[in-house]
Amino acid sequence: MAHDIVFFLAPDDKTAASTRLRGPGAAFRSVTCRFIEPDSAIAEWDMYFEEPSADLPPLERLLEWAWPDWVTPPLNDGVEVFALPQRLTRALANAGSAELEELAGRWSARLRSDDGDDMTDDDLPAVLREVAQLAVSAVKTGGGLYSWSF
């Protein structure tokens, strides 16, 4: 499980890749959370917008879903930089508060079923709302939404 996760805005993949060694830092507008797996979160969110439902889909269905692309090749140091799919970025940017609350509930249920008491203590609905605000900026500027984790 990733310890530190930062969702951040960058103008392009090359710029996002430049964050690999030190993280996005203060130079990038970002949202930080802890103790989630960013790739599974991204896949869960994407699946929700493509197949909306408050019900938790089977884990097998999630594992078959298209997972995010690495911006930099993975190495053995545990650092990962992912690009959120453009369709997900647009969906997050256009989501209403009810959709975000429903998604946060579903995402929380998935994490609770996977991690139990080891689940993050972050306010997941707040994290999701803040990531959606980043998505609005990404759509307006033509940039991308990324995650960096260690």
Side-chain angles (χ1 to χ4, degrees), residues 6-20 23-31 71 81-84 86 89 131 133-148:
V6 182
F7 292 96
F8 67 100
L9 293 175
D12 53 49
D13 288 358
K14 183 177 178 181
T15 305
S18 74
T19 69
R20 189 190 177 295
F28 296 87
R29 197 165 146 215
S30 64
V31 174
V71 175
V81 182
F82 292 108
L84 277 71
Q86 285 296 319
T89 301
V131 171
Q133 290 172 355
L134 291 178
V136 169
S137 294
V139 168
K140 284 182 181 177
T141 64
L145 189 51
Y146 300 88
S147 74
W148 176 93

Side-chain angles (χ1 to χ4, degrees), residues 32-50:
T32 302
C33 56
R34 296 179 52 80
F35 303 117
I36 65 163
E37 291 294 341
D39 53 350
S40 63
I42 294 165
E44 181 85 42
W45 301 347
D46 190 44
M47 178 187 256
Y48 172 82
F49 286 110
E50 290 297 306

Side-chain angles (χ1 to χ4, degrees), residues 29-103:
R29 197 165 146 215
S30 64
V31 174
T32 302
C33 56
R34 296 179 52 80
F35 303 117
I36 65 163
E37 291 294 341
D39 53 350
S40 63
I42 294 165
E44 181 85 42
W45 301 347
D46 190 44
M47 178 187 256
Y48 172 82
F49 286 110
E50 290 297 306
E51 299 176 1
S53 171
D55 297 330
L56 198 60
L59 180 59
E60 298 79 29
R61 180 73 179 117
L62 178 62
L63 295 175
E64 294 169 351
W65 200 255
W67 286 55
D69 293 325
W70 276 294
V71 175
T72 58
L75 300 175
N76 289 330
D77 60 4
V79 175
E80 297 178 314
V81 182
F82 292 108
L84 277 71
Q86 285 296 319
R87 74 173 182 233
L88 173 57
T89 301
R90 286 189 303 274
L92 285 166
N94 293 322
S97 59
E99 283 178 298
L100 293 174
E101 288 300 317
E102 185 173 87
L103 172 55

Side-chain angles (χ1 to χ4, degrees), residues 94-141:
N94 293 322
S97 59
E99 283 178 298
L100 293 174
E101 288 300 317
E102 185 173 87
L103 172 55
R106 185 169 117 171
W107 181 36
S108 297
R110 169 87 61 208
L111 292 176
R112 229 180 338 280
S113 72
D114 290 348
D115 302 333
D117 290 339
D118 292 330
M119 188 175 123
T120 182
D121 58 357
D122 282 314
D123 179 350
L124 296 179
V127 168
L128 194 53
R129 283 190 303 272
E130 291 176 39
V131 171
Q133 290 172 355
L134 291 178
V136 169
S137 294
V139 168
K140 284 182 181 177
T141 64

